[in-house]
Amino acid sequence: MICVKNLSKSFGNNTVLDNIDYTINKGEKIVIIGPSGSGKSTFLRCLNLLETPNMGEIWFKDQLITDPKCDIDKIRQKIGMVFQHFNLFPHLTVLENITLAPVKLKLMTKAQAEELAYQLLRRVGLEDKAKDYPAVLSGGQKQRIAIIRALALNPEVMLFDEPTSALDPEMVGEVLEVIKELAIAGMTMVIVTHEMGFAREVGTKILFMDEGKILEEAPPAEFFSNPKHPRLIEFLSKVL
Amino acid sequence: MNLFTDLIVAESYWSDLWAKIHQNLIHENRYMLLLNGLSVTLRVTFFAIIIGTVFGIVLALMKMSKSKVLSAISNLYITVIRGTPMVTQLLIIYFVVFASVNVSKIFVAIIAFGLNSSAYVAEIIRAGIQAVDRGQTEAGRSLGLSSRQTLFLIVMPQAVKNIFPAYVNEFIVLIKETAIVGYIALEDLTKAGDIIRSRTYEAFIPLLSVAFIYLIITSVLAKLCDIVERRLNRHDMR
C-alpha cells in the first residue's frame, strides 16, 4: 500500500533519515520504536509529505506522491494522521472539527457529515461533547476526537505520531483502546509510540529505528523475546 | 472672619476660571475651531487606517510569500518606514512627492499616514499569523485541505485574536500621531488648540481641552477593544 524507496531526509547537515527502504502492506499494523531523535517521527511525517524528503520515492498504491506533479491534497484525504499534541482546531466545536474537512472538500453534505460525526462520536463515547469547544475537554478526550476527525474522511491508512505521549497516565488507556478497536477492524496503521505493551499487543510488525536507519524488523513476539541488533538489545534493556 | 475671606477668594477663583473658559472656548465661537480640528483629525485617521489596512495586508502577504523578490520589497519598505520619523515622511510627501501637484493638505496627510501605518499593520498581521501553532497548519493539511483553505479556515480565524488588540492599538497610536499635521499647516485638533492659544494668550484651557478630547477618544477605543477581545477569547476559557 505504501512503498518507500531510498528515502533520505536531512535538516541542514543533520541527516535524520538515511536511505530507508520499506513496504507497508494493506492491513498491516506497523509499530515504530526507537530512541528520541532516531528519525521515527520524521519517517512517519514523510509518508504524507508533511516533511519533504530530500531524496527517494514514496508510492501510495500506484501513485508516486513524491512527484511534484502529484496532487498531495487528494492523497492526504486517504492517509489519516493523529498528532502527539492532538491539534484540534480551538475555534471550532467538536462537531465542526470533525465535519470541516469532509464538507469543505465537498465529499459530503453538511447533514451527511454531521450524521457520520455523531456516529463516530458514539463509537468513542463522546456524543455529549459534540457542541463543546476543545478547550473544555481532557487530553484523552481531545485525542479520541482527533482520531475520529481523521476517520471521518474514511482513510485507507492511519498514521499515529506518539498519540499518547502528551497524555496524563490515566488517560493513555482510553486512547489506546480506540486505536486497538481500529486495528481489530482491519485498518492499515503506522504507529510511532513508546508504549511497549501496546506495541506488542497491536503490532503485526515492529520496527526499531536509530540514527535514521531501520535496524531491526520483526513480528512482536520475536522482536521482544529475541532481539538481534546490539542497539536494540541495549534499548530494550533500558525500557522494559 | 477667615472663613468669609476664604469663600470670597474661592468664588473669585471659580468665576475667573469660568471667564477663561468662556473667553477660550465660547467667545467668537472658538469651540468651532476645536470641532473642525477634531473633524480633520478623525477624517485623516479614518482614511489612513483604511489605506494602512489594505496596503498592510498586501505587504504582509508579500513578506510571507515564497517569492524572494516580493518578500525583499516588502521588507525594504517596512524597514524604511519604521526607520524614519513620521514627521519627516509627512514633509517628504508634501514638499517632494506632491511638490508640483496641487492637492489638498488633508489628502496629503491621509496618504502619508496611510503609507506609514501600512508598514506597522503588515508586521502586526504577519506576527499574528505566525504566532498560530504550526500544528494547526499541519492538522489542516493532513486532512487534505489545500494551503489556501488551511490559511482561511483554520489559521486566520485564530490569528485574528492575536492581531486584533495590536491592530486597535495601531489605530489609537495613529489618532495621536496625526497631531503633527500642523507641520504642513493642516488645522487638526492640536493645531486648533494652538490657534486659540495664540489668539487669547492663554495656554491652559485650550491645550488641556485638546488633550482631554484625545483622551476621551482613545479611552473609548481601548474600552471597545477590551470588550471585543473578551468575546474573541470566550472559547479559550476553561
Side-chain angles (χ1 to χ4, degrees):
Chain A
M1 178 162 266
I2 298 178
C3 185
V4 176
K5 291 177 186 164
N6 302 322
L7 178 68
S8 289
K9 170 77 185 172
S10 51
F11 297 106
N13 286 330
N14 181 21
T15 303
V16 184
L17 296 178
D18 189 3
N19 213 2
I20 290 187
D21 285 287
Y22 198 73
T23 302
I24 298 157
N25 297 311
K26 190 168 162 54
E28 277 190 311
K29 294 103 182 62
I30 309 294
V31 180
I32 307 174
I33 64 170
S36 303
S38 59
K40 52 194 194 305
S41 277
T42 307
F43 176 64
L44 193 74
R45 291 159 57 83
C46 279
L47 297 182
N48 68 350
L49 253 52
L50 279 187
E51 299 289 353
T52 316
N54 300 106
M55 243 176 56
E57 294 179 351
I58 299 170
W59 293 78
F60 178 74
K61 299 211 273 192
D62 52 357
Q63 272 174 296
L64 178 61
I65 65 172
T66 40
D67 183 347
K69 285 196 289 279
C70 168
D71 180 6
I72 189 62
D73 295 338
K74 266 266 171 335
I75 304 288
R76 283 185 181 135
Q77 295 175 18
K78 295 282 143 217
I79 307 178
M81 180 145 191
V82 174
F83 300 87
Q84 182 179 356
H85 296 288
F86 332 127
N87 298 348
L88 291 184
F89 308 131
H91 61 299
L92 301 177
T93 63
V94 165
L95 190 65
E96 288 163 343
N97 262 277
I98 302 168
T99 57
L100 179 80
V103 172
K104 294 295 172 185
L105 297 171
K106 300 195 164 56
L107 302 173
M108 295 173 208
T109 64
K110 192 156 175 276
Q112 285 171 327
E114 286 185 356
E115 198 192 317
L116 173 65
Y118 273 109
Q119 212 176 309
L120 290 165
L121 281 167
R122 265 195 294 278
R123 203 161 128 191
V124 295
L126 291 172
E127 202 185 351
D128 56 327
K129 303 291 181 193
K131 304 282 183 200
D132 286 346
Y133 284 88
V136 303
L137 303 177
S138 72
Q141 292 171 333
K142 282 183 197 172
Q143 195 61 302
R144 283 185 279 161
I145 304 285
I147 292 170
I148 59 172
R149 177 175 72 179
L151 289 179
L153 290 166
N154 193 22
E156 296 175 35
V157 187
M158 285 285 285
L159 310 177
F160 293 89
D161 188 5
E162 302 196 24
T164 58
S165 296
L167 294 176
D168 291 341
E170 77 260 35
M171 290 173 182
V172 170
E174 65 189 53
V175 171
L176 293 185
E177 204 51 49
V178 172
I179 301 175
K180 265 183 233 169
E181 278 170 31
L182 204 54
I184 292 165
M187 176 68 74
T188 310
M189 313 201 259
V190 187
I191 307 165
V192 171
T193 187
H194 294 295
E195 299 284 333
M196 296 302 150
F198 171 71
R200 191 199 295 257
E201 194 178 341
V202 166
T204 54
K205 221 174 257 171
I206 319 271
L207 307 189
F208 176 68
M209 281 186 74
D210 194 20
E211 291 174 350
K213 287 190 170 78
I214 298 173
L215 297 185
E216 188 145 341
E217 169 200 347
E222 189 190 334
F223 184 91
F224 287 106
S225 59
N226 189 17
K228 291 178 192 72
H229 198 283
R231 269 299 283 131
L232 175 58
I233 294 167
E234 186 196 340
F235 180 78
L236 288 178
S237 75
K238 281 182 195 155
V239 297
L240 288 180
Chain B
M1 206 54 182
N2 264 349
L3 187 70
F4 188 60
T5 43
D6 280 357
L7 276 174
I8 294 176
V9 171
E11 200 192 315
S12 77
Y13 174 79
W14 287 113
S15 63
D16 234 35
L17 184 68
W18 172 246
K20 279 183 184 165
I21 289 175
H22 189 274
Q23 183 208 7
N24 281 287
L25 300 182
I26 298 167
H27 187 61
E28 291 180 355
N29 285 342
R30 289 196 169 125
Y31 65 92
M32 281 308 293
L33 279 170
L34 290 182
L35 285 183
N36 288 335
L38 177 62
S39 151
V40 169
T41 294
L42 292 180
R43 271 184 289 162
V44 170
T45 308
F46 179 75
F47 290 109
I49 202 83
I50 289 177
I51 294 177
T53 304
V54 173
F55 196 28
I57 291 171
V58 174
L59 282 169
L61 291 176
M62 280 169 68
K63 187 157 175 177
M64 288 185 297
S65 85
K66 285 188 190 112
S67 155
K68 287 222 162 62
V69 180
L70 287 180
S71 125
I73 294 172
S74 166
N75 230 341
L76 178 69
Y77 180 85
I78 292 169
T79 306
V80 170
I81 293 289
R82 297 208 304 179
T84 54
M86 180 64 232
V87 180
T88 316
Q89 293 166 19
L90 179 68
L91 292 175
I92 288 173
I93 295 200
Y94 185 59
F95 289 112
V96 181
V97 178
F98 288 117
S100 53
V101 205
N102 191 13
V103 289
S104 75
K105 286 173 183 152
I106 195 161
F107 177 77
V108 172
I110 287 169
I111 296 293
F113 282 96
L115 291 180
N116 176 271
S117 189
S118 66
Y120 292 91
V121 171
E123 284 297 82
I124 290 168
I125 292 174
R126 186 190 57 81
I129 288 176
Q130 289 180 348
V132 175
D133 181 25
R134 225 168 68 95
Q136 292 291 311
T137 307
E138 291 183 349
R141 295 307 305 276
S142 79
L143 289 168
L145 298 172
S146 67
S147 56
R148 178 183 293 263
Q149 283 173 319
T150 304
L151 179 65
F152 287 104
L153 297 171
I154 292 162
V155 177
M156 277 314 272
Q158 298 180 60
V160 166
K161 281 186 210 173
N162 307 329
I163 293 170
F164 184 77
Y167 179 75
V168 175
N169 187 53
E170 168 61 19
F171 198 44
I172 290 172
V173 167
L174 196 62
I175 291 174
K176 294 182 291 177
E177 233 178 7
T178 58
I180 60 163
V181 292
Y183 269 91
I184 59 169
L186 184 58
E187 288 175 15
D188 73 320
L189 182 57
T190 299
K191 187 76 181 171
D194 202 42
I195 290 170
I196 296 174
R197 181 192 59 79
S198 67
R199 296 218 184 125
T200 60
Y201 301 106
E202 174 73 49
F204 184 80
I205 300 287
L207 294 186
L208 260 75
S209 305
V210 165
F212 187 62
I213 295 171
Y214 279 115
L215 184 62
I216 289 175
I217 298 171
T218 53
S219 304
V220 167
L221 268 174
K223 186 74 203 163
L224 283 177
C225 175
D226 244 29
I227 294 169
V228 176
E229 205 184 335
R230 224 167 297 142
R231 268 193 69 81
L232 285 174
N233 286 333
R234 69 192 186 283
H235 299 322
D236 298 343
M237 306 289 178
R238 284 194 175 263

